[in-house]
Amino acid sequence: MNSFDTHEVLNQAAPFADVNLFRCDPALREAVEREGAGWAGAELDALGAELGRAEILELARVANANGPRLMSYDRSGRRVDEIEFHPAWHQLMSLLVGAGAHAAPWRAPRPGAQVARAAQYLLFGQVENGVQCPVTMTFASVPALRRAPALAEQWLPKILSNEYDPRSLPVSHKRGALVGMGMTEKQGGSDVRANTTRAEPILGGDGAWRIVGHKWFFSVPQADAHLILAQTDAGGSAGLSCFFVPRYLPDGSRNAIRVQRLKDKLGNRSNASSEVEFHGAHGWMIGAPGRGIPTILEMGGYTRLDCVLGSAGIMRAALCHALHHARGRNVFGRVLSEQPLMQNVLADLALESEAATAFALRLARCFDQPDDPAEALLGRILTAAGKYWICKRGPAFGAEAMEVMGGNGYVEDGPLARIYRELPVNSIWEGSGNVMCLDLLRALGKSLPEAGAALAAELMPAAGLDPRFAACAEALLDELPALVQDEGGARRLAERLVLAVQGALLLRHAPGYVADAFVASRVAREPGGAFGRLPAGTDCAAILARTLVT
C-alpha cells in the first residue's frame, strides 16, 4: 500500500452488471413459456444478455444525468419547439425500437406475441424507464389509429418500422415515427370531461379541425404526432372527441403546437414531459364525434398494461441490485445474504417480484386473445386492479431494496436512488390509484355475472392445492356483488383480487416453497406492514437461490 494511502478498499460488492437479465430470472423464463411465448426464448435470451451489459446500464445513468432541454427558438429567432437529448437517450431508444417493443405484436401477430413483447418490456424496465414512455404510447396508438383508415395508411408503415428516427421532419421523410398523448388540463387532471380545449371543423379542407387550447401534461413533445381530446363545439355539449395532431402538416409546415416548458419531475428524468398550447393547430378526428373518451381509453388499456409491466421490471431491477450486493458483502463476520433477518427481507421482496412478473405476463396473455370474451373481460378487470396494486407496491419495495444497500443505495453513484424515484410514476400516470379502483368497480358492475365466472375460472383450479387459498378465493367470489357496491372499499377489493390471482398462479406453477410462502404472508393474512415479515418455517434460502441465478 502506498505510504500516503489511509486504507484499502475492502468488502465492497462489485456493481451488478454483465449479467444476462433473462437467463438469471427463472420466474420470467417459466412465465414466458407458460403463457404461450416459448417460441421467443432465444430472442429474449439474446436481449437479456445485451441489456445486462455494463455499457448499456451506464447509458441509463448518463441519460438521466443529462436530461432533455427545450430549445424554443433557433439561432435566427424562429420558433422551433425542439427537444434536445443526450446521445445516451438516442442509443437506448434505438435499442428499444430496434427490438420491436413499440410494435412487434402489430407487425407480426401470432399466438403469444403480446406475451413476448411484455417480456421484452419487462427486461427493458430493468435498465431505463424514460425511454419506455414514448415506446408505450406508440405501441398503444395503433388500435386507435386503425379506426381512421386514411391516417393509418399514411402513418402505420412508419410507426411499425423498427428504425428509430429522431429527426424533426414531416413523416413522409422519416424512416420511423413515434406517437405521444395529451389528455389532462390544468383545471381537470383525471377529470378529462372538464377539458376546455376546443376543436372546430375547417370548412372546405381535407377533414382537418382547428384546435385551440392547452394540455397541462403533454407526453413526449418530440413525437411525430399525438392523440388528444378536445370539445367539438363551443359549448361542449357534444362531449369530447379524439384527434390525431401531427407535428408537421401535410404541406411540410410546422403545426401550431407551442411547447411552454418541460416538466421538472421527481423521476423519469431522461424523458421529456411538457406543457403545450394549441394556437389553431390542425388535427384529424379519430372515432365518432363526442366519443373521444372511449376511443382514447382503448389506447389507455395498453398503456396501463405497460404500467404493470414497467413496475414489475423496476422492482426486479431493485431486487437484483440489492440481492447481488448482499451476496458480496460481509457484515458482523457473515455474508449479509446468509443472515436470517436479511434473508427474510430479501425473500419477501423476491416473492413480491415473482408474483408481479407472473401476474404481468398472465395479463399480457389476455391481450393476446381479444376474440375470447372471457379473456377480454378478465383482462379488463385485471388491468385496472393490477395497475393499482402492483404499481402501488413499487415505492415501498424500492425503499426496502435501497435499505439493504444502506448508504451505498441512497447516493446517486449507484442505481437505487434513480430506481426509487422511478417507482411512483406508474401509480400516477395513466390513472392514479383511486381512478383505477373506480374503473375496476365500473368494469365489474357492468358485467358482474360474467366477471365472476371469469375470475372463478382463473382462481378455482388452484383451490384444491391449498385450503387457506381456497377459503380466501371462495370468500372473494361470494362477496363480489356486495364489494362492487362499496366505493369506499374499492382499494381493498383491487388488492384482494390481485393477490388472489397471484396466489393462484404461484400455487399452480411455482415451486412449493414459493407458493406456500406467498399464501402464508399475503393471502391467509393481511399483507400490510414492512417487508421481512415472512412466517417461521419459510425456506428463504431456497427462494433466494431461485431468485437470481448467476
Side-chain angles (χ1 to χ4, degrees):
M1 189 167 72
N2 188 296
S3 61
F4 292 100
D5 290 339
T6 62
H7 64 282
E8 291 185 71
V9 177
L10 304 170
N11 198 28
Q12 286 282 344
F16 179 73
D18 294 321
V19 177
N20 186 318
L21 299 180
F22 184 68
R23 197 175 298 176
C24 75
D25 188 352
L28 177 59
R29 297 200 313 269
E30 292 165 12
V32 166
E33 187 74 35
R34 178 173 68 245
E35 305 300 350
W39 51 265
E43 179 182 329
L44 291 168
D45 187 76
L47 181 63
E50 174 69 9
L51 294 178
R53 292 196 301 118
E55 293 85 352
I56 301 302
L57 297 174
E58 174 64 6
L59 289 177
R61 184 194 68 80
V62 173
N64 280 272
N66 301 274
R69 294 196 309 145
L70 171 62
M71 314 294 287
S72 298
Y73 300 91
D74 68 12
R75 64 182 182 178
S76 300
R78 297 181 180 88
R79 186 76 186 243
V80 292
D81 295 289
E82 295 288 354
I83 314 299
E84 182 179 81
F85 290 90
H86 190 275
W89 164 273
H90 295 303
Q91 288 177 262
L92 290 166
M93 283 294 300
S94 293
L95 270 173
L96 202 50
V97 173
H102 69 302
W106 313 130
R107 285 187 59 179
R110 60 178 292 185
Q114 292 285 356
V115 173
R117 185 260 174 191
Q120 284 184 326
Y121 198 88
L122 198 147
L123 288 171
F124 274 106
Q126 298 175 50
V127 178
E128 206 287 311
N129 312 109
V131 293
Q132 292 187 290
C133 180
V135 165
T136 283
M137 287 184 294
T138 302
F139 169 69
S141 71
V142 173
L145 261 177
R146 285 176 170 164
R147 294 177 176 271
L151 289 172
E153 182 179 4
Q154 178 188 7
W155 281 83
L156 282 184
K158 303 301 175 74
I159 290 171
L160 300 182
S161 167
N162 278 8
E163 288 194 69
Y164 170 61
D165 187 346
R167 296 175 300 165
S168 180
L169 292 170
V171 71
S172 59
H173 300 311
K174 296 192 65 172
R175 297 186 299 271
L178 299 174
V179 178
M181 181 194 291
M183 291 178 66
T184 59
E185 299 181 5
K186 297 180 180 75
Q187 72 284 348
S190 296
D191 183 10
V192 294
R193 295 184 188 278
N195 284 8
T196 60
T197 295
R198 64 189 186 275
E200 299 175 350
I202 299 174
L203 300 179
D206 57 356
W209 293 61
R210 182 177 291 107
I211 299 168
V212 175
H214 81 283
K215 294 299 171 186
W216 187 230
F217 280 88
F218 192 70
S219 298
V220 196
Q222 77 276 13
D224 299 285
H226 288 78
L227 291 176
I228 73 158
L229 295 174
Q231 304 286 358
T232 48
D233 75 335
S237 59
L240 290 165
S241 298
C242 179
F243 291 90
F244 184 81
V245 182
R247 198 169 180 209
Y248 283 86
L249 296 177
D251 65 3
S253 64
R254 286 179 176 269
N255 209 350
I257 306 166
R258 299 289 180 255
V259 181
Q260 304 303 105
R261 61 173 175 171
L262 300 186
K263 295 289 193 181
D264 187 7
K265 297 171 291 185
L266 167 69
N268 207 245
R269 299 187 70 86
S270 68
N271 175 47
S273 305
S274 65
E275 301 166 20
V276 301
E277 288 184 344
F278 306 116
H279 292 257
H282 287 205
W284 283 260
M285 187 181 292
I286 292 180
R291 297 289 296 167
I293 293 177
T295 300
I296 211 163
L297 280 182
E298 183 175 13
M299 183 178 182
Y302 290 98
T303 58
R304 289 167 179 176
L305 165 65
D306 277 8
C307 287
V308 175
L309 292 165
S311 289
I314 301 171
M315 287 193 287
R316 170 69 186 175
L319 171 63
C320 286
H321 286 288
L323 179 54
H324 176 78
H325 170 86
R327 286 175 175 175
R329 181 85 163 171
N330 281 279
V331 179
F332 306 125
R334 290 187 294 172
V335 176
L336 183 56
S337 65
E338 296 175 0
Q339 299 192 27
L341 187 53
M342 181 55 74
Q343 279 197 335
N344 195 306
V345 171
L346 290 167
D348 210 357
L349 293 173
L351 289 176
E352 192 74 25
S353 177
E354 177 160 349
T357 295
F359 182 96
L361 266 67
R362 174 63 184 94
L363 176 58
R365 179 156 66 88
C366 293
F367 283 79
D368 254 326
Q369 303 178 73
D371 297 328
D372 183 326
E375 285 292 308
L377 180 55
L378 188 65
R380 174 77 177 85
I381 295 164
L382 296 189
T383 299
K387 165 73 166 67
Y388 166 70
W389 180 245
I390 290 177
C391 297
K392 187 65 69 180
R393 295 290 277 173
F397 188 107
E400 197 69 66
M402 186 185 297
E403 191 171 328
V404 171
M405 299 182 72
N408 284 352
Y410 195 69
V411 297
E412 297 290 347
D413 295 340
L416 262 293
R418 170 170 54 85
I419 287 171
Y420 179 68
R421 287 195 304 273
E422 290 289 349
L423 281 162
V425 69
N426 284 327
S427 276
I428 297 169
W429 184 55
E430 289 302 300
S432 60
N434 281 358
V435 171
M436 288 297 94
C437 293
L438 293 174
D439 189 50
L440 173 63
L441 292 186
R442 280 193 294 272
L444 288 170
K446 287 181 178 178
S447 56
L448 190 54
E450 296 84 2
L455 282 172
E458 185 68 20
L459 300 179
M460 296 318 291
L465 302 175
D466 189 300
R468 299 166 299 177
F469 174 81
C472 292
E474 290 166 4
L476 172 63
L477 294 170
D478 289 344
E479 296 166 19
L480 202 56
L483 295 171
V484 170
Q485 304 302 317
D486 179 16
E487 182 176 315
R491 285 188 171 213
R492 180 67 181 116
L493 170 59
E495 175 187 330
R496 288 177 65 185
L497 198 155
V498 175
L499 290 172
V501 171
Q502 289 176 327
L505 288 168
L506 296 182
L507 281 168
R508 293 172 63 194
H509 306 296
Y513 53 83
V514 170
D516 180 73
F518 185 88
V519 171
S521 60
R522 289 158 170 80
V523 177
R525 74 177 189 192
E526 290 288 327
F531 288 97
R533 299 168 58 249
L534 296 178
T538 300
D539 194 344
C540 295
I543 293 171
L544 295 179
R546 167 181 170 79
T547 296
L548 179 57
V549 180
T550 57

